[in-house]
Amino acid sequence: MLDSASEEEFSEENTEEISQLSYLQLSSLALSGDTAYSEKTSTGFLEKTGYPDSVYIMAANIFQGIRFEKSPEKVLIKYGNEPLPSSTESEDESFQRLSYELAFSALKFQDILETILIDSYIFPSTIIPDHLNSLIIVMLYDFQDRKFQARLLSDNEESIAEVLEVENLLNSFKTKLAAALARCRIKHDALSIYHILPETVRNQELRASTLPLYAWINTCKISPEEVYLSLKKKGYNKVKSVLHIDNKVFAVDQHCYDVLIFPSHLKSDLLNIDLFKDYKLVFQDKSRSLAVHSVKALLNMDDDILMVNTGSWYTVAHMSVLTNNNTSKIFVCGVQSHAKDPDLKNLFTKMGCKNIEILHETFINLESKDHRLQKVKVILLLPRCSGLGVSNPVEFILNEHEDTGLLKDFFQGGPSEDKLHVLAQQQYEQLTHAMKFTRAQAVVYCTYSVYPEENEAVVKKALEFQDHGTKVQSYRLSPPVLPLCSLKEIHLSTDKFFRMEPSEITNGCFLSVLTRERDPSETVSVKDVLARAAAKGLLDGIELGKPSKREKKKKKSKMSLPKSSTSDSSRVQMTTAEFLSQETNASAHQSGTLTTKTSLPQKNTNQVGSSSQVRKSNKPTTNPLVPTFMKNTPPSRPYERTTTTNFVRPRPEDRMIALKPIEIVLPPVMLPFSSPQGIRSQIPTQHFYCHWVGPKTVMPGYLPTPSIPRRGKKPKENLPSSLPRHPRPWL
């Protein structure tokens, strides 16, 4: 056995290796600027200085509740059941985070720390009350993590008697403890106690230390463009991916347009930026942003939202920010303590959230007939789960207010079958209760779990056993409303579930969207939509419900017609036959006009007209060119069906037909001459290209008047009737 001098020398050679695990576990806390735990040396490295007394007390109480219990024959150290008295500082968020980290680290090395205490003869050489053994374990872990150096105490810190008693005990056994730790490392053939941990735990630790940071933009206080500009001024450059980049960069998430991604090593620098201090940027796991964006995609302007088991209040705030431009209201249930209301309202006020209402009833006790929830259309359900999809269990427990027993499940690689069954049953009961809200149209179900028992199995079971006897439509599984950005995501979402597996860039996530089937009998007409708009005051000055004169005429004409005894099919046949007959007569009339080469009847001339002067005088034309022009112009069907001979300006309520301008280019026309054929051949032929161009603007109630621009000399209107007319002037 090594003597005390050699033990101390051996321990000092390997202190750097011994502290690797604790550095990985608590480096993020030190980077956050907590001077109570670490200080920077002249070389720039962090030197651990210890925790305040209240952190040790709180960590001991947490460890007492999550420690591994052994069989009586294997018990080395007995732990009491009485918790240590804690101070009011334990309610501070920063103190809670430090306490959970310290307790979880002690839990992972419980066997090693107990062995060191036995091997160093602290037990059973000293008599210590059992309720202090949890405090000894957590303080021993921190003692070896500080390389067995003394703790630096601040002047204004109040000391706790139990902490001073244990600290003096450990300092008196300093050399023996270091030697026992070295022997334990040699026994397991490990470079440090970190390598004694199972490989799965070590991989999880490594992934947690390199996982990118996600932060959503509070658009109630700042726009995304302003955030990009502010970050650029701070030296941050926008890139497509932040993986394996050590510079100051950020990227925009592909699924959520208002979520930014930062490398993990930039957290300490980001926390000192005003964007985060003023709640313009908020750190939160990406899975919660996916959940609120899924809800946003299902909302109308005035739909309310019910949030269940929200966990982090930042999730509620993000939902409020996304619906800031709507008239939606967000109901949050499950806040049992009224004492938290002022703090929550203060937080939401700082973040610019105004449409949040807190309900103190539990979700199971809420009824669908509650008058406050009559406009709730979407329910966001974030049930308690095993959380094995996240990399940092402490962040998960603190942010989502989960049970501290999950720390033990994380270290063991998952919950027991009995605990998993209990969680799945609770999730099923909450989901089926959400489906009982008859006015709700959708339910978004989201978990951190990677177990099908908590995800697909719960959703499928709830859909299978839902109550089909109610008057409302049943729920069905809908495809994800989020964009699928890779082939892997498409493959994972083939069964209409959205999944994200734990990876180096994100935690695991499961998301399902349930929507009610559309009732085919509920067809909303235009009148119903206008009536709803009028009821909301969106159609000020517009009267509804009064039929127009046109509708009255149609109704009157329908009433005057004799009732037909034929069926619908016979009426369709008669209409078709009448239409074909009209088309046949029209084509025969057109062909007869072209072959007889006679002028059009006076009636058709008056219908179309060749100029505005003819229309005003309402007299038959005497120009022989007009009939020739009309003979070569294909008749227009709307004009053929006109039965009146005079142009009557229709009233505004009559039917208006929008006419499109067209251009028809006719063959050249030669002007007839009375001179002999020989003289005519010597005179150059004058060609007239007739264009029929529709008017640029059509006044309601007027027919377009074709204009005939002529090139060359304008012919006289009254030509001798004895002039010969060439049967085919274009030849």
Side-chain angles (χ1 to χ4, degrees), residues 54 57-58 61 83-91 160:
S54 58
I57 294 295
M58 186 176 182
N61 290 333
L84 297 173
S86 59
S87 62
T88 56
E89 293 180 347
S90 61
E91 298 180 0
I160 300 177

PDB file of all heavy atoms in Angstrom, residues 54 57-58 61 83-91 160:
ATOM      1  N   SER A  54     -25.621  26.752  -0.245  1.00  0.00           N
ATOM      2  CA  SER A  54     -27.004  26.402  -0.581  1.00  0.00           C
ATOM      3  C   SER A  54     -27.079  25.452  -1.772  1.00  0.00           C
ATOM      4  O   SER A  54     -28.002  24.630  -1.864  1.00  0.00           O
ATOM      5  CB  SER A  54     -27.810  27.675  -0.875  1.00  0.00           C
ATOM      6  OG  SER A  54     -27.219  28.417  -1.933  1.00  0.00           O
ATOM      7  N   ILE A  57     -26.495  21.928  -0.454  1.00  0.00           N
ATOM      8  CA  ILE A  57     -27.664  21.423   0.271  1.00  0.00           C
ATOM      9  C   ILE A  57     -28.742  20.960  -0.713  1.00  0.00           C
ATOM     10  O   ILE A  57     -29.315  19.867  -0.569  1.00  0.00           O
ATOM     11  CB  ILE A  57     -28.225  22.501   1.216  1.00  0.00           C
ATOM     12  CG1 ILE A  57     -27.217  22.812   2.330  1.00  0.00           C
ATOM     13  CG2 ILE A  57     -29.552  22.064   1.804  1.00  0.00           C
ATOM     14  CD1 ILE A  57     -26.956  21.654   3.260  1.00  0.00           C
ATOM     15  N   MET A  58     -29.025  21.786  -1.705  1.00  0.00           N
ATOM     16  CA  MET A  58     -30.060  21.423  -2.676  1.00  0.00           C
ATOM     17  C   MET A  58     -29.646  20.212  -3.502  1.00  0.00           C
ATOM     18  O   MET A  58     -30.470  19.327  -3.787  1.00  0.00           O
ATOM     19  CB  MET A  58     -30.354  22.614  -3.580  1.00  0.00           C
ATOM     20  CG  MET A  58     -31.512  22.387  -4.528  1.00  0.00           C
ATOM     21  SD  MET A  58     -31.912  23.858  -5.505  1.00  0.00           S
ATOM     22  CE  MET A  58     -33.317  23.241  -6.431  1.00  0.00           C
ATOM     23  N   ASN A  61     -30.211  17.055  -1.492  1.00  0.00           N
ATOM     24  CA  ASN A  61     -31.619  16.649  -1.443  1.00  0.00           C
ATOM     25  C   ASN A  61     -32.064  16.018  -2.766  1.00  0.00           C
ATOM     26  O   ASN A  61     -32.853  15.060  -2.775  1.00  0.00           O
ATOM     27  CB  ASN A  61     -32.491  17.855  -1.113  1.00  0.00           C
ATOM     28  CG  ASN A  61     -32.302  18.323   0.327  1.00  0.00           C
ATOM     29  OD1 ASN A  61     -31.944  17.540   1.209  1.00  0.00           O
ATOM     30  ND2 ASN A  61     -32.538  19.611   0.568  1.00  0.00           N
ATOM     31  N   PRO A  83     -34.777  15.126   4.445  1.00  0.00           N
ATOM     32  CA  PRO A  83     -34.059  16.107   3.617  1.00  0.00           C
ATOM     33  C   PRO A  83     -33.412  17.169   4.479  1.00  0.00           C
ATOM     34  O   PRO A  83     -33.850  17.457   5.600  1.00  0.00           O
ATOM     35  CB  PRO A  83     -35.162  16.695   2.737  1.00  0.00           C
ATOM     36  CG  PRO A  83     -36.403  16.554   3.547  1.00  0.00           C
ATOM     37  CD  PRO A  83     -36.243  15.273   4.344  1.00  0.00           C
ATOM     38  N   LEU A  84     -32.386  17.763   3.943  1.00  0.00           N
ATOM     39  CA  LEU A  84     -31.705  18.840   4.648  1.00  0.00           C
ATOM     40  C   LEU A  84     -32.469  20.145   4.454  1.00  0.00           C
ATOM     41  O   LEU A  84     -33.062  20.376   3.393  1.00  0.00           O
ATOM     42  CB  LEU A  84     -30.277  18.991   4.116  1.00  0.00           C
ATOM     43  CG  LEU A  84     -29.356  17.786   4.331  1.00  0.00           C
ATOM     44  CD1 LEU A  84     -28.029  18.004   3.612  1.00  0.00           C
ATOM     45  CD2 LEU A  84     -29.124  17.549   5.817  1.00  0.00           C
ATOM     46  N   PRO A  85     -32.488  21.000   5.459  1.00  0.00           N
ATOM     47  CA  PRO A  85     -33.194  22.282   5.310  1.00  0.00           C
ATOM     48  C   PRO A  85     -32.508  23.148   4.260  1.00  0.00           C
ATOM     49  O   PRO A  85     -31.278  23.302   4.269  1.00  0.00           O
ATOM     50  CB  PRO A  85     -33.108  22.904   6.709  1.00  0.00           C
ATOM     51  CG  PRO A  85     -31.928  22.250   7.352  1.00  0.00           C
ATOM     52  CD  PRO A  85     -31.850  20.864   6.793  1.00  0.00           C
ATOM     53  N   SER A  86     -33.309  23.700   3.353  1.00  0.00           N
ATOM     54  CA  SER A  86     -32.772  24.524   2.267  1.00  0.00           C
ATOM     55  C   SER A  86     -33.191  25.971   2.471  1.00  0.00           C
ATOM     56  O   SER A  86     -34.189  26.270   3.135  1.00  0.00           O
ATOM     57  CB  SER A  86     -33.266  24.026   0.909  1.00  0.00           C
ATOM     58  OG  SER A  86     -34.678  24.053   0.858  1.00  0.00           O
ATOM     59  N   SER A  87     -32.440  26.865   1.881  1.00  0.00           N
ATOM     60  CA  SER A  87     -32.696  28.301   2.000  1.00  0.00           C
ATOM     61  C   SER A  87     -33.565  28.767   0.846  1.00  0.00           C
ATOM     62  O   SER A  87     -33.889  28.018  -0.087  1.00  0.00           O
ATOM     63  CB  SER A  87     -31.372  29.073   2.013  1.00  0.00           C
ATOM     64  OG  SER A  87     -30.671  28.869   0.792  1.00  0.00           O
ATOM     65  N   THR A  88     -33.955  30.032   0.895  1.00  0.00           N
ATOM     66  CA  THR A  88     -34.791  30.602  -0.164  1.00  0.00           C
ATOM     67  C   THR A  88     -34.025  30.746  -1.473  1.00  0.00           C
ATOM     68  O   THR A  88     -34.632  30.870  -2.535  1.00  0.00           O
ATOM     69  CB  THR A  88     -35.313  31.983   0.259  1.00  0.00           C
ATOM     70  OG1 THR A  88     -34.187  32.830   0.602  1.00  0.00           O
ATOM     71  CG2 THR A  88     -36.210  31.858   1.474  1.00  0.00           C
ATOM     72  N   GLU A  89     -32.682  30.743  -1.420  1.00  0.00           N
ATOM     73  CA  GLU A  89     -31.898  30.876  -2.628  1.00  0.00           C
ATOM     74  C   GLU A  89     -32.062  29.680  -3.559  1.00  0.00           C
ATOM     75  O   GLU A  89     -31.740  29.756  -4.738  1.00  0.00           O
ATOM     76  CB  GLU A  89     -30.412  31.049  -2.277  1.00  0.00           C
ATOM     77  CG  GLU A  89     -30.099  32.358  -1.577  1.00  0.00           C
ATOM     78  CD  GLU A  89     -28.621  32.464  -1.260  1.00  0.00           C
ATOM     79  OE1 GLU A  89     -27.916  31.422  -1.370  1.00  0.00           O
ATOM     80  OE2 GLU A  89     -28.167  33.556  -0.909  1.00  0.00           O
ATOM     81  N   SER A  90     -32.568  28.567  -3.004  1.00  0.00           N
ATOM     82  CA  SER A  90     -32.727  27.370  -3.825  1.00  0.00           C
ATOM     83  C   SER A  90     -33.776  27.553  -4.904  1.00  0.00           C
ATOM     84  O   SER A  90     -33.828  26.786  -5.855  1.00  0.00           O
ATOM     85  CB  SER A  90     -33.096  26.175  -2.940  1.00  0.00           C
ATOM     86  OG  SER A  90     -34.332  26.425  -2.265  1.00  0.00           O
ATOM     87  N   GLU A  91     -34.637  28.568  -4.759  1.00  0.00           N
ATOM     88  CA  GLU A  91     -35.642  28.814  -5.773  1.00  0.00           C
ATOM     89  C   GLU A  91     -35.098  29.586  -6.971  1.00  0.00           C
ATOM     90  O   GLU A  91     -35.764  29.699  -7.992  1.00  0.00           O
ATOM     91  CB  GLU A  91     -36.819  29.582  -5.155  1.00  0.00           C
ATOM     92  CG  GLU A  91     -37.527  28.818  -4.041  1.00  0.00           C
ATOM     93  CD  GLU A  91     -38.670  29.612  -3.458  1.00  0.00           C
ATOM     94  OE1 GLU A  91     -38.885  30.747  -3.925  1.00  0.00           O
ATOM     95  OE2 GLU A  91     -39.339  29.101  -2.540  1.00  0.00           O
ATOM     96  N   ILE A 160     -23.397  27.404   6.143  1.00  0.00           N
ATOM     97  CA  ILE A 160     -24.346  26.437   6.691  1.00  0.00           C
ATOM     98  C   ILE A 160     -23.553  25.416   7.491  1.00  0.00           C
ATOM     99  O   ILE A 160     -22.524  24.893   7.020  1.00  0.00           O
ATOM    100  CB  ILE A 160     -25.151  25.764   5.566  1.00  0.00           C
ATOM    101  CG1 ILE A 160     -25.933  26.827   4.771  1.00  0.00           C
ATOM    102  CG2 ILE A 160     -26.098  24.718   6.127  1.00  0.00           C
ATOM    103  CD1 ILE A 160     -26.713  26.266   3.597  1.00  0.00           C
TER     104      ILE A 160
END
